[in-house]
Protein backbone atom coordinates (compact mmCIF):
# COMPACT_ATOMS: atom_id res chain seq x y z
CA UNK A 1 0.00 0.00 0.00
CA UNK A 2 1.20 3.48 -0.83
CA UNK A 3 2.05 5.95 1.89
CA UNK A 4 1.50 9.68 1.45
CA UNK A 5 4.11 12.19 2.57
CA UNK A 6 1.46 14.40 4.16
CA UNK A 7 0.02 13.72 7.60
CA UNK A 8 -0.27 14.84 11.20
CA UNK A 9 0.61 13.07 14.44
CA UNK A 10 0.22 13.96 18.10
CA UNK A 11 1.21 12.37 21.41
CA UNK A 12 1.09 13.45 25.04
CA UNK A 13 2.85 11.69 27.90
CA UNK A 14 4.21 12.22 31.40
CA UNK A 15 7.96 12.03 31.94
CA UNK A 16 8.70 12.31 35.66
CA UNK A 17 6.97 15.46 36.87
CA UNK A 18 6.69 16.91 33.36
CA UNK A 19 4.01 16.46 30.74
CA UNK A 20 5.18 16.73 27.13
CA UNK A 21 3.03 17.33 24.06
CA UNK A 22 4.52 16.46 20.66
CA UNK A 23 2.91 17.57 17.38
CA UNK A 24 4.43 16.46 14.07
CA UNK A 25 3.23 17.70 10.69
CA UNK A 26 4.54 16.34 7.39
CA UNK A 27 4.22 17.77 3.88
CA UNK A 28 5.69 16.56 0.60
CA UNK A 29 9.35 17.20 -0.22
CA UNK A 30 12.10 15.69 -2.33
CA UNK A 31 14.34 15.03 0.67
CA UNK A 32 14.03 14.95 4.45
CA UNK A 33 13.79 18.48 5.81
CA UNK A 34 12.97 18.94 9.48
CA UNK A 35 12.18 21.97 11.62
CA UNK A 36 12.03 21.33 15.38
CA UNK A 37 10.78 23.72 18.05
CA UNK A 38 11.43 22.61 21.61
CA UNK A 39 12.19 23.87 25.14
CA UNK A 40 15.78 24.98 25.63
CA UNK A 41 16.63 22.15 28.04
CA UNK A 42 15.93 19.61 25.26
CA UNK A 43 18.55 21.13 22.94
CA UNK A 44 21.21 18.55 23.96
CA UNK A 45 18.90 15.87 22.55
CA UNK A 46 18.07 17.66 19.29
CA UNK A 47 20.42 15.57 17.15
CA UNK A 48 18.96 12.33 18.51
CA UNK A 49 15.40 13.58 17.97
CA UNK A 50 16.18 14.68 14.41
CA UNK A 51 17.86 11.35 13.64
CA UNK A 52 14.91 9.43 15.04
CA UNK A 53 12.45 11.39 12.90
CA UNK A 54 14.61 10.89 9.82
CA UNK A 55 14.78 7.12 10.28
CA UNK A 56 11.05 6.72 10.84
CA UNK A 57 9.67 9.27 8.34
CA UNK A 58 12.23 8.85 5.53
CA UNK A 59 11.20 11.80 3.37
CA UNK A 60 9.14 14.98 3.44
CA UNK A 61 9.07 18.45 4.96
CA UNK A 62 8.65 17.85 8.69
CA UNK A 63 7.53 20.38 11.30
CA UNK A 64 7.92 19.08 14.87
CA UNK A 65 6.66 21.05 17.88
CA UNK A 66 7.57 19.85 21.39
CA UNK A 67 5.91 21.73 24.24
CA UNK A 68 6.12 21.25 28.00
CA UNK A 69 3.30 21.28 30.53
CA UNK A 70 4.96 21.55 33.96
CA UNK A 71 3.44 19.37 36.68
CA UNK A 72 4.43 18.43 40.20
CA UNK A 73 6.16 20.82 42.56
CA UNK A 74 7.17 24.25 41.32
CA UNK A 75 10.87 24.64 40.65
CA UNK A 76 13.14 27.71 40.80
CA UNK A 77 13.43 29.75 37.62
CA UNK A 78 16.14 31.90 36.08
CA UNK A 79 15.60 35.22 34.31
CA UNK A 80 17.81 35.73 31.29
CA UNK A 81 18.62 39.38 32.07
CA UNK A 82 20.73 39.99 28.96
CA UNK A 83 17.99 38.69 26.68
CA UNK A 84 15.32 40.69 28.55
CA UNK A 85 17.38 43.89 28.13
CA UNK A 86 17.93 43.14 24.45
CA UNK A 87 14.15 42.96 24.04
CA UNK A 88 13.33 45.88 26.34
CA UNK A 89 15.66 48.68 25.21
CA UNK A 90 14.66 48.97 21.53
CA UNK A 91 10.98 48.44 22.35
CA UNK A 92 11.06 51.14 25.08
CA UNK A 93 12.85 53.55 22.76
CA UNK A 94 10.24 52.95 20.07
CA UNK A 95 7.44 53.52 22.61
CA UNK A 96 8.95 56.88 23.63
CA UNK A 97 9.29 57.98 20.01
CA UNK A 98 5.66 57.09 19.36
CA UNK A 99 4.47 58.57 22.64
CA UNK A 100 3.06 55.28 23.85
CA UNK A 101 2.71 53.91 27.39
CA UNK A 102 5.66 51.60 28.14
CA UNK A 103 4.47 50.41 31.56
CA UNK A 104 3.37 47.02 30.24
CA UNK A 105 6.52 46.26 28.24
CA UNK A 106 8.34 44.29 30.95
CA UNK A 107 5.39 42.05 31.70
CA UNK A 108 5.04 41.14 28.02
CA UNK A 109 8.79 40.59 27.60
CA UNK A 110 8.81 38.08 30.45
CA UNK A 111 6.38 35.96 28.42
CA UNK A 112 8.75 35.73 25.45
CA UNK A 113 10.62 32.45 24.77
CA UNK A 114 13.83 31.81 26.74
CA UNK A 115 13.48 34.92 28.95
CA UNK A 116 12.38 32.83 31.92
CA UNK A 117 13.65 29.25 32.12
CA UNK A 118 13.62 26.59 34.84
CA UNK A 119 16.88 26.43 36.78
CA UNK A 120 19.15 23.52 35.87
CA UNK A 121 16.28 21.84 34.01
CA UNK A 122 17.28 18.75 32.07
CA UNK A 123 16.29 15.16 31.40
CA UNK A 124 18.00 12.26 33.07
CA UNK A 125 19.06 9.29 30.95
CA UNK A 126 16.06 7.35 32.22
CA UNK A 127 13.70 10.23 31.37
CA UNK A 128 15.19 10.49 27.88
CA UNK A 129 14.42 6.81 27.24
CA UNK A 130 10.80 7.48 28.22
CA UNK A 131 10.68 10.70 26.20
CA UNK A 132 11.67 8.82 23.03
CA UNK A 133 8.43 6.88 23.33
CA UNK A 134 6.49 10.13 22.93
CA UNK A 135 8.28 10.83 19.64
CA UNK A 136 7.62 7.27 18.45
CA UNK A 137 3.93 7.48 19.38
CA UNK A 138 3.50 10.77 17.52
CA UNK A 139 5.27 9.28 14.47
CA UNK A 140 3.01 6.22 14.55
CA UNK A 141 -0.03 8.50 14.61
CA UNK A 142 1.35 10.47 11.67
CA UNK A 143 2.08 7.30 9.69
CA UNK A 144 -1.51 6.15 10.19
CA UNK A 145 -2.65 9.34 8.49
CA UNK A 146 -0.05 8.80 5.77
CA UNK A 147 -1.41 5.32 5.06
CA UNK A 148 -5.01 6.55 4.95
CA UNK A 149 -4.12 9.25 2.46
CA UNK A 150 -1.88 6.83 0.57
CA UNK A 151 -4.87 4.57 -0.06
CA UNK A 152 -6.66 7.45 -1.78
CA UNK A 153 -3.55 8.23 -3.83
CA UNK A 154 -3.23 4.59 -4.90
CA UNK A 155 -6.83 4.45 -6.12
CA UNK A 156 -6.41 7.65 -8.11
CA UNK A 157 -3.10 6.60 -9.67
CA UNK A 158 -4.54 3.23 -10.68
CA UNK A 159 -7.45 5.04 -12.30
CA UNK A 160 -5.08 7.29 -14.30
CA UNK A 161 -2.97 4.38 -15.54
CA UNK A 162 -6.08 2.37 -16.44
CA UNK A 163 -7.36 5.30 -18.51
CA UNK A 164 -4.00 5.51 -20.32
CA UNK A 165 -4.21 1.78 -21.08
CA UNK A 166 -7.72 2.21 -22.53
CA UNK A 167 -6.47 4.84 -24.96
CA UNK A 168 -3.45 2.67 -25.80
CA UNK A 169 -5.83 -0.16 -26.72
CA UNK A 170 -7.88 2.20 -28.86
CA UNK A 171 -4.73 3.31 -30.69
CA UNK A 172 -3.79 -0.33 -31.29
CA UNK A 173 -7.19 -0.89 -32.90
CA UNK A 174 -6.77 2.19 -35.09
CA UNK A 175 -3.21 1.39 -36.16
CA UNK A 176 -4.06 -0.85 -39.19
CA UNK A 177 -6.52 1.74 -40.48
CA UNK A 178 -3.92 4.49 -40.00
CA UNK A 179 -1.38 2.67 -42.18
CA UNK A 180 -3.96 2.09 -44.90
CA UNK A 181 -5.05 5.75 -44.79
CA UNK A 182 -1.43 6.87 -45.15
CA UNK A 183 -0.91 4.49 -48.09
CA UNK A 184 -4.12 5.61 -49.82
CA UNK A 185 -3.28 9.27 -49.22
CA UNK A 186 0.16 8.99 -50.82
CA UNK A 187 -1.20 7.15 -53.85
CA UNK A 188 -4.00 9.69 -54.28
CA UNK A 189 -1.52 12.56 -54.01
CA UNK A 190 0.63 11.14 -56.81
CA UNK A 191 -2.32 10.38 -59.04
CA UNK A 192 -3.72 13.89 -58.60
CA UNK A 193 -0.42 15.63 -59.30
CA UNK A 194 1.45 13.25 -61.63
CA UNK A 195 -1.14 10.91 -63.07
CA UNK A 196 -1.66 7.20 -62.50
CA UNK A 197 0.42 6.21 -65.54
CA UNK A 198 3.39 8.52 -64.90
CA UNK A 199 5.06 6.92 -61.88
CA UNK A 200 6.71 3.60 -61.08
CA UNK A 201 4.25 1.66 -58.93
CA UNK A 202 6.94 -0.76 -57.71
CA UNK A 203 9.15 2.12 -56.63
CA UNK A 204 6.16 3.77 -54.95
CA UNK A 205 5.43 0.58 -53.04
CA UNK A 206 9.02 0.48 -51.76
CA UNK A 207 8.88 4.11 -50.69
CA UNK A 208 5.54 3.60 -48.95
CA UNK A 209 6.90 0.61 -47.04
CA UNK A 210 9.95 2.63 -46.00
CA UNK A 211 7.83 5.59 -44.92
CA UNK A 212 5.33 3.51 -42.95
CA UNK A 213 8.17 1.70 -41.16
CA UNK A 214 9.62 5.08 -40.25
CA UNK A 215 6.41 6.25 -38.59
CA UNK A 216 5.50 2.87 -37.12
CA UNK A 217 4.37 3.19 -33.48
CA UNK A 218 4.10 -0.49 -32.58
CA UNK A 219 7.31 -0.46 -30.51
CA UNK A 220 6.15 2.61 -28.59
CA UNK A 221 2.82 0.92 -27.89
CA UNK A 222 4.51 -2.25 -26.62
CA UNK A 223 6.79 -0.25 -24.31
CA UNK A 224 3.88 1.89 -23.13
CA UNK A 225 1.87 -1.20 -22.23
CA UNK A 226 4.85 -2.74 -20.41
CA UNK A 227 5.43 0.47 -18.44
CA UNK A 228 1.77 0.61 -17.39
CA UNK A 229 1.86 -3.05 -16.32
CA UNK A 230 5.01 -2.45 -14.28
CA UNK A 231 3.46 0.66 -12.71
CA UNK A 232 0.59 -1.45 -11.39
CA UNK A 233 3.06 -4.04 -10.08
CA UNK A 234 4.93 -1.31 -8.17
CA UNK A 235 1.67 -0.12 -6.62
CA UNK A 236 1.21 -3.56 -5.07
CA UNK A 237 4.74 -3.78 -3.66
CA UNK A 238 5.43 -3.13 0.01
CA UNK A 239 8.15 -0.55 -0.59
CA UNK A 240 8.76 2.11 2.07
CA UNK A 241 9.85 4.71 -0.50
CA UNK A 242 8.13 3.93 -3.79
CA UNK A 243 7.38 7.53 -4.83
CA UNK A 244 10.64 8.14 -6.69
CA UNK A 245 10.34 4.90 -8.68
CA UNK A 246 6.79 5.74 -9.69
CA UNK A 247 7.91 9.22 -10.72
CA UNK A 248 10.72 7.84 -12.91
CA UNK A 249 8.32 5.35 -14.50
CA UNK A 250 5.82 8.10 -15.32
CA UNK A 251 8.61 9.91 -17.16
CA UNK A 252 9.13 6.80 -19.31
CA UNK A 253 5.37 6.54 -19.94
CA UNK A 254 5.37 10.19 -21.01
CA UNK A 255 8.24 9.58 -23.42
CA UNK A 256 6.32 6.81 -25.22
CA UNK A 257 3.15 8.91 -25.36
CA UNK A 258 5.03 11.87 -26.85
CA UNK A 259 6.74 9.69 -29.47
CA UNK A 260 3.40 8.15 -30.42
CA UNK A 261 1.93 11.60 -30.89
CA UNK A 262 4.89 12.76 -33.01
CA UNK A 263 4.56 9.77 -35.36
CA UNK A 264 0.78 9.41 -35.47
CA UNK A 265 -0.30 11.66 -38.38
CA UNK A 266 -3.87 10.72 -37.52
CA UNK A 267 -6.42 13.03 -35.90
CA UNK A 268 -8.23 10.28 -33.99
CA UNK A 269 -4.99 8.90 -32.56
CA UNK A 270 -3.87 12.43 -31.69
CA UNK A 271 -7.04 12.86 -29.64
CA UNK A 272 -6.17 9.74 -27.65
CA UNK A 273 -2.62 11.05 -27.20
CA UNK A 274 -3.99 14.30 -25.78
CA UNK A 275 -6.21 12.37 -23.37
CA UNK A 276 -3.29 10.19 -22.28
CA UNK A 277 -1.16 13.29 -21.63
CA UNK A 278 -3.95 14.73 -19.50
CA UNK A 279 -4.12 11.55 -17.41
CA UNK A 280 -0.33 11.49 -17.16
CA UNK A 281 -0.14 15.04 -15.79
CA UNK A 282 -2.75 14.22 -13.16
CA UNK A 283 -0.75 11.13 -12.17
CA UNK A 284 2.46 13.17 -11.91
CA UNK A 285 0.77 15.63 -9.56
CA UNK A 286 -0.38 12.80 -7.31
CA UNK A 287 2.98 11.02 -7.29
CA UNK A 288 4.57 14.16 -5.82
CA UNK A 289 2.72 13.30 -2.60
CA UNK A 290 3.81 9.65 -2.48
CA UNK A 291 6.55 8.73 -0.03
Amino acid sequence: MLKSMTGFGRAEMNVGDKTFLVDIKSLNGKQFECSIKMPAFLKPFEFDIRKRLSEKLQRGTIDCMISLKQTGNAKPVTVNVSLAKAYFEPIAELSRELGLDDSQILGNILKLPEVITPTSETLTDEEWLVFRNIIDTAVEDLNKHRLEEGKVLEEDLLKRITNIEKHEQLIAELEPQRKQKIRDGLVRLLEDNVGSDNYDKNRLEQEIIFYIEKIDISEEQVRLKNHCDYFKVLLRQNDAEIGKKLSFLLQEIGREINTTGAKAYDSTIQQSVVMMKDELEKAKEQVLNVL
Side-chain angles (χ1 to χ4, degrees):
M1 182 180 292
L2 293 187
K3 185 184 289 186
S4 171
M5 270 191 284
T6 60
F8 178 80
R10 167 173 286 186
E12 183 173 338
M13 189 180 298
N14 293 331
V15 180
D17 61 352
K18 309 174 191 66
T19 299
F20 287 97
L21 177 64
V22 177
D23 290 323
I24 307 176
K25 181 176 67 176
S26 174
L27 299 174
N28 61 350
K30 291 184 178 180
Q31 306 296 331
F32 177 80
E33 297 179 9
C34 184
S35 172
I36 304 178
K37 296 179 181 178
M38 65 181 76
F41 68 89
L42 285 178
K43 288 293 183 180
F45 303 99
E46 181 175 359
F47 176 79
D48 293 318
I49 294 172
R50 191 177 297 274
K51 181 181 179 183
R52 202 167 192 82
L53 292 173
S54 175
E55 291 173 350
K56 293 180 176 295
L57 298 177
Q58 289 98 33
R59 197 157 65 100
T61 301
I62 312 300
D63 186 8
C64 178
M65 172 74 76
I66 304 173
S67 53
L68 171 66
K69 297 180 179 179
Q70 190 72 42
T71 59
N73 297 326
K75 294 190 176 181
V77 296
T78 298
V79 178
N80 189 331
V81 178
S82 299
L83 182 60
K85 287 182 177 180
Y87 282 130
F88 181 83
E89 292 172 357
I91 296 175
E93 182 179 352
L94 179 61
S95 297
R96 289 192 294 270
E97 290 179 0
L98 297 177
L100 301 176
D101 180 16
D102 60 1
S103 60
Q104 301 299 319
I105 294 178
L106 182 59
N108 291 325
I109 287 177
L110 293 177
K111 298 176 183 178
L112 294 174
E114 314 300 333
V115 175
I116 295 181
T117 57
T119 301
S120 303
E121 192 71 63
T122 186
L123 292 182
T124 65
D125 291 341
E126 292 77 13
E127 287 176 332
W128 162 244
L129 294 177
V130 177
F131 177 81
R132 292 190 310 183
N133 294 330
I134 311 177
I135 299 293
D136 293 345
T137 303
V139 168
E140 289 175 7
D141 189 33
L142 187 150
N143 279 329
K144 287 180 183 178
H145 290 171
R146 280 182 160 188
L147 285 172
E148 291 171 1
E149 196 166 326
K151 184 178 181 180
V152 176
L153 289 175
E154 183 175 348
E155 292 174 353
D156 189 78
L157 285 170
L158 185 59
K159 175 183 176 182
R160 303 304 169 194
I161 293 301
T162 300
N163 289 340
I164 290 175
E165 288 180 316
K166 289 180 180 178
H167 286 289
E168 182 274 323
Q169 292 170 5
L170 179 60
I171 290 174
E173 295 172 1
L174 293 172
E175 174 64 0
Q177 304 173 28
R178 179 186 77 108
K179 290 181 179 179
Q180 189 60 46
K181 285 168 62 177
I182 291 173
R183 180 189 296 271
D184 294 344
L186 291 172
V187 171
R188 186 166 55 253
L189 182 65
L190 277 174
E191 290 179 349
D192 291 344
N193 291 277
V194 179
S196 59
D197 298 327
N198 296 325
Y199 65 87
D200 186 338
K201 291 182 173 56
N202 291 329
R203 177 63 184 276
L204 174 62
E205 189 66 25
Q206 293 175 358
E207 294 295 334
I208 288 177
I209 292 173
F210 174 77
Y211 181 70
I212 289 179
E213 286 180 349
K214 189 175 180 180
I215 62 172
D216 181 67
I217 58 174
S218 58
E219 290 185 8
E220 285 78 8
Q221 292 302 288
V222 170
R223 287 195 293 267
L224 177 57
K225 186 178 185 306
N226 290 339
H227 291 333
C228 289
D229 289 341
Y230 184 46
F231 192 96
K232 291 186 289 186
V233 169
L234 287 179
L235 286 180
R236 295 192 294 269
Q237 290 183 355
N238 187 20
D239 193 327
E241 294 185 67
I242 198 67
K244 291 182 180 179
K245 293 180 182 178
L246 295 177
S247 181
F248 293 148
L249 192 52
L250 286 179
Q251 292 180 26
E252 295 302 316
I253 290 175
R255 185 174 290 110
E256 304 306 333
I257 293 174
N258 288 334
T259 306
T260 298
K263 290 183 175 182
Y265 296 105
D266 182 276
S267 59
T268 306
I269 291 179
Q270 288 288 5
Q271 291 174 12
S272 288
V273 168
V274 170
M275 296 303 295
M276 285 194 292
K277 286 184 176 182
D278 181 57
E279 297 293 339
L280 179 66
E281 289 304 310
K282 292 175 181 177
K284 286 182 176 180
E285 291 178 6
Q286 295 289 47
V287 163
L288 291 175
N289 294 315
V290 177
L291 184 64

